[in-house]
């Protein structure tokens, strides 16, 4: 009996020693610092945003098509009926959820780069505005963060002004993705949608348009700033028809977030990109960023580079129901000059040199 008791005591002592050794080992492992936790949260915030914009629409469409051939076929049928019923909503004010604008995740998203908004002039809430957002870059990070999320303080910086952002109309034909876009305050870049925002909500509305669009994304590369703007005049005509002031804005650092394989004009790959752009509204770009596990690896996440979006001086525009071509050209040129002034006045403050120029095609 004494032998059994002694053996049990020895086992208990050994187990206690093992537990204590394990605890000492655990405590010796360095815990993540607050900086490490912040970095991880910022990376996850950017990851969910990139995956949402690149995959949500396509994956949702594939899943709904698959469900058609299963016992759950009623789900895609009912959703299709809903889309048909709800077809015009994106162009008639959408379905914005203000709570999404204040999500904490957007603060982590902002801090990853970081993104900063700079105000140069007041915007009176007694007018409506069309904000030209330049450059397009690959994913329009600056435009999204400043004009859709509340993380950079747009509404505090411009009291009484409500900002909206337009994107490709085709995005609102993709299941679930359309709901995601509308809930955040995005709208199709169509005359009908922009006209509704400028004419049905009173004053104090600022509709941001990434004017260069898909064509400009093909010219996106670090160190070179080329804008597709010379023949883009539809936004000026819309501004004249609604009496909306034109406001230039420029996101310094937008083109530094990704590396793109740029194909020369006249090459067969460039011609394929142009054809896709004409057929489906956007040009497929061959680009890469950092990987998920290391900033030195390659992946689809943007590099952490500072983005500073500077909002310039508004160009006063009269309300003209049927503006002539000459009048449109006049205000288009005034807008270009205001944008050039904004760029030249701020380029050395935000990472560019005095010799850097803005190329407008």
């Amino acid at each position: 009996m004494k032998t059994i008791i002694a053996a049990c005591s020895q086992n208990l002592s050994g187990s206690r020693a093992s537990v204590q050794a394990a605890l000492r080992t655990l405590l010796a492992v360095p815990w993540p610092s607050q900086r490490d936790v912040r970095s991880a949260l910022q990376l996850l915030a950017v990851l969910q945003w990139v995956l949402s914009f690149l995959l949500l629409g396509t994956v949702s469409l594939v899943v709904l098509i698959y469900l058609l051939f299963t016992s759950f076929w009623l789900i895609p049928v009912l959703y299709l009926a809903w889309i048909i019923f709800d077809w015009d909503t994106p162009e008639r004010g959408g379905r914005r959820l203000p709570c999404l604008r204040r999500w904490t995740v957007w603060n982590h998203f902002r801090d990853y780069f970081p993104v900063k908004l700079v105000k140069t002039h007041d915007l009176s809430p007694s007018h409506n505005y069309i904000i030209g957002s330049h450059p397009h870059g690959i994913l329009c990070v600056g435009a999204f963060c400043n004009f859709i999320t509340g993380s950079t303080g747009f509404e505090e910086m411009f009291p009484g002004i409500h900002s909206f952002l337009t994107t490709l109309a085709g995005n609102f034909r993709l299941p679930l993705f359309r709901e995601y876009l509308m809930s955040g305050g995005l709208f199709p870049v169509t005359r009908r949608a922009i006209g509704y925002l400028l004419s049905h909500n009173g004053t104090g509305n600022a509709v941001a348009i990434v004017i260069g669009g898909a064509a400009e994304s093909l010219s996106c590369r670090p160190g070179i700033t080329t804008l597709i703007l010379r023949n883009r005049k539809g936004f000026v005509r819309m501004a004249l028809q609604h009496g909306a002031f034109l406001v230039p804005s420029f996101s310094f650092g937008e083109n530094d977030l990704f590396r793109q394989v740029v194909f020369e004009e006249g090459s067969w790959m460039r011609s394929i990109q142009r054809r896709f752009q004409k057929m489906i509204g956007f040009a497929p770009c061959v680009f890469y960023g950092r990987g998920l596990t290391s900033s030195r690896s390659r992946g689809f996440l943007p590099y952490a580079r500072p983005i500073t979006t500077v909002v310039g001086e508004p160009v006063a525009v009269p309300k003209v129901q049927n503006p002539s071509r000459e009048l449109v050209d006049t205000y288009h040129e005034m807008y270009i000059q205001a944008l050039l002034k904004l760029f030249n006045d701020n380029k050395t403050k935000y990472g560019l040199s005095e010799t850097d120029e803005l190329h407008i095609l």
Side-chain angles (χ1 to χ4, degrees):
M1 187 67 179
K2 291 181 179 180
T3 304
I4 296 174
I5 293 174
C8 289
S9 300
Q10 194 173 25
N11 288 337
L12 287 173
S13 300
S15 300
R16 191 179 299 112
S18 299
V19 171
Q20 290 174 346
L23 287 173
R24 282 195 296 270
T25 303
L26 183 62
L27 292 174
V29 175
W31 287 83
S33 65
Q34 289 186 348
R35 182 179 177 181
D36 293 334
V37 172
R38 283 197 300 269
S39 297
L41 290 174
Q42 291 166 11
L43 191 64
L44 289 174
V46 173
L47 176 64
Q48 66 82 25
W49 182 79
V50 170
L51 291 178
S52 297
F53 271 82
L54 294 183
L55 297 177
L56 180 59
T58 304
V59 171
S60 299
L61 181 61
V62 171
V63 170
L64 288 175
I65 292 174
Y66 169 75
L67 290 177
L68 274 175
F69 302 96
T70 69
S71 57
F72 300 100
W73 60 269
L74 189 58
I75 294 176
V77 169
L78 290 175
Y79 186 74
L80 177 60
W82 162 252
I83 287 184
I84 294 172
F85 173 78
D86 196 53
W87 191 260
D88 291 333
T89 298
E91 294 186 320
R92 297 181 61 82
R95 234 183 343 265
R96 189 174 192 171
L97 297 178
C99 60
L100 295 187
R101 187 182 181 91
R102 298 188 295 269
W103 266 6
T104 303
V105 69
W106 302 131
N107 294 334
H108 298 303
F109 180 87
R110 172 202 62 202
D111 294 338
Y112 170 84
F113 298 95
V115 181
K116 180 183 178 183
L117 180 66
V118 175
K119 170 185 174 180
T120 61
H121 293 78
D122 291 330
L123 298 182
S124 171
S126 61
H127 299 288
N128 284 327
Y129 303 89
I130 290 180
I131 300 177
S133 180
H134 310 274
H136 183 285
I138 297 294
L139 293 179
C140 305
V141 172
F144 177 86
C145 191
N146 288 296
F147 302 129
I148 289 300
T149 79
S151 61
T152 56
F154 181 92
E155 293 187 349
E156 290 76 22
M157 215 173 278
F158 300 98
I161 304 296
H162 305 288
S163 60
F164 307 92
L165 180 63
T166 58
T167 185
L168 288 173
N171 289 330
F172 294 87
R173 305 297 179 248
L174 293 172
L176 297 185
F177 191 44
R178 69 190 295 274
E179 323 298 341
Y180 177 79
L181 294 177
M182 282 193 290
S183 66
L186 284 98
F187 296 85
V189 61
T190 62
R191 291 181 180 274
R192 187 181 177 191
I194 297 170
Y196 188 96
L197 293 172
L198 295 176
S199 61
H200 286 74
N201 295 323
T203 58
N205 302 295
V207 182
I209 304 174
V210 187
I211 297 168
E216 194 170 279
S217 65
L218 295 179
S219 303
C220 168
R221 68 182 87 172
I224 298 177
T225 309
T226 302
L227 304 184
I228 307 297
L229 177 60
R230 191 66 65 182
N231 295 318
R232 300 288 174 99
K233 301 179 181 180
F235 72 102
V236 178
R237 184 175 296 277
M238 288 286 295
L240 284 163
Q241 290 173 340
H242 295 277
F245 288 14
L246 292 168
V247 183
S249 72
F250 196 93
S251 293
F252 293 91
E254 182 74 45
N255 284 351
D256 299 330
L257 304 182
F258 293 96
R259 302 290 181 267
Q260 181 179 184
V261 180
V262 179
F263 302 101
E264 297 297 327
E265 289 291 344
S267 65
W268 65 275
M269 280 298 296
R270 191 69 161 191
S271 64
I272 290 176
Q273 289 178 316
R274 296 292 187 194
R275 288 179 184 177
F276 263 90
Q277 180 188 331
K278 290 180 180 178
M279 287 189 298
I280 59 180
F282 73 92
C285 302
V286 181
F287 66 90
Y288 64 90
R290 60 156 290 176
L292 182 60
T293 57
S294 170
S295 59
R296 295 183 180 86
S297 61
R298 291 188 178 184
F300 55 87
L301 294 178
Y303 291 107
R305 303 287 186 270
I307 303 171
T308 304
T309 300
V310 185
V311 180
E313 182 177 5
V315 177
V317 176
K319 186 174 183 179
V320 182
Q321 191 63 39
N322 295 300
S324 63
R325 179 178 297 179
E326 292 75 18
L327 188 62
V328 171
D329 289 343
T330 297
Y331 279 93
H332 184 261
E333 185 59 32
M334 290 172 63
Y335 176 83
I336 289 178
Q337 293 306 314
L339 176 62
L340 287 169
K341 183 178 185 303
L342 176 70
F343 178 82
N344 290 324
D345 288 350
N346 291 277
K347 61 184 180 182
T348 56
K349 299 176 186 176
Y350 305 114
L352 299 180
S353 67
E354 190 64 45
T355 57
D356 286 322
E357 296 182 353
L358 186 62
H359 303 281
I360 298 179
L361 303 179

